Amino acid sequence: MSVFAVEFKVRDYECDMQGIVNNGVYFNYLEHARHEFLLEKGIDFAELARQNINLVVVRSELDYKASLTSGDQFTVTVAFEPVSKVRFGFRQQVIRQADQKVVLEGLIIGTAINERGRPAIPEQFAAQLGA
């Protein structure tokens, strides 16, 4: 299984009153990394939507293991994982660069919704994800 990675830096406004990244902000980090992963695979999220194929998250499992603070540099990894005929998963980690500490581990499960509102993963899409 190949692992894709994107580098980030915590911005001040992403932190809460405790001085750590707000738990909800991690969803944004993970989503951005998934979109970059899709682009790397030749899949344009916005173009799929124009074709009435909408990628949606149906389940998120996040395990918070440590905290990021303002200015921390970190990497978000993405690894594709087939789940079923109509669902796919992304195993993700947030890793602080200074000490290589895993800050978060997650599994995001998604599907593609076709123009009729039904789960359906196009064959080409599935082939690109697994490549």
Side-chain angles (χ1 to χ4, degrees), residues 34-35 38 46 53 58 61-62 90 95 99 103 109 121 129:
R34 288 192 308 275
H35 284 212
L38 292 174
I53 300 168
V58 296
E61 298 176 17
L62 303 184
F90 298 101
I95 304 166
D99 58 3
V103 173
I109 306 290
I121 300 175
L129 276 177

Side-chain angles (χ1 to χ4, degrees), residues 1-2 37 61 78-84 87-92 106-110 121 129-130:
M1 169 175 26
S2 65
F37 169 81
E61 298 176 17
V78 182
F80 171 71
E81 182 176 295
V83 174
S84 73
R87 290 188 175 189
F88 47 84
F90 298 101
R91 291 256 174 218
Q92 295 190 259
L107 173 61
I108 309 300
I109 306 290
I121 300 175
L129 276 177

Side-chain angles (χ1 to χ4, degrees), residues 13-114:
Y13 64 84
E14 296 170 329
C15 298
D16 58 22
M17 291 179 63
Q18 298 168 335
I20 60 175
V21 171
N22 180 277
N23 66 306
V25 172
Y26 289 94
F27 283 98
N28 294 329
Y29 297 156
L30 298 176
E31 183 176 25
H32 180 73
R34 288 192 308 275
H35 284 212
E36 291 296 318
F37 169 81
L38 292 174
L39 285 172
E40 178 76 16
K41 295 286 188 176
I43 300 168
D44 185 333
F45 188 85
E47 180 56 33
L48 285 173
R50 286 189 286 276
Q51 296 171 17
N52 292 318
I53 300 168
N54 294 291
L55 303 182
V56 296
V57 170
V58 296
R59 181 176 179 86
S60 299
E61 298 176 17
L62 303 184
D63 293 318
Y64 298 91
K65 301 194 172 282
S67 298
L68 292 173
T69 60
S70 183
D72 279 346
Q73 294 182 328
F74 62 98
T75 302
V76 178
T77 64
V78 182
F80 171 71
E81 182 176 295
V83 174
S84 73
K85 289 182 181 180
V86 294
R87 290 188 175 189
F88 47 84
F90 298 101
R91 291 256 174 218
Q92 295 190 259
Q93 288 187 322
V94 174
I95 304 166
R96 188 171 41 226
Q97 291 178 1
D99 58 3
Q100 294 301 297
K101 172 89 174 156
V102 175
V103 173
L104 178 141
E105 290 183 336
L107 173 61
I108 309 300
I109 306 290
T111 191
I113 304 294
N114 64 20

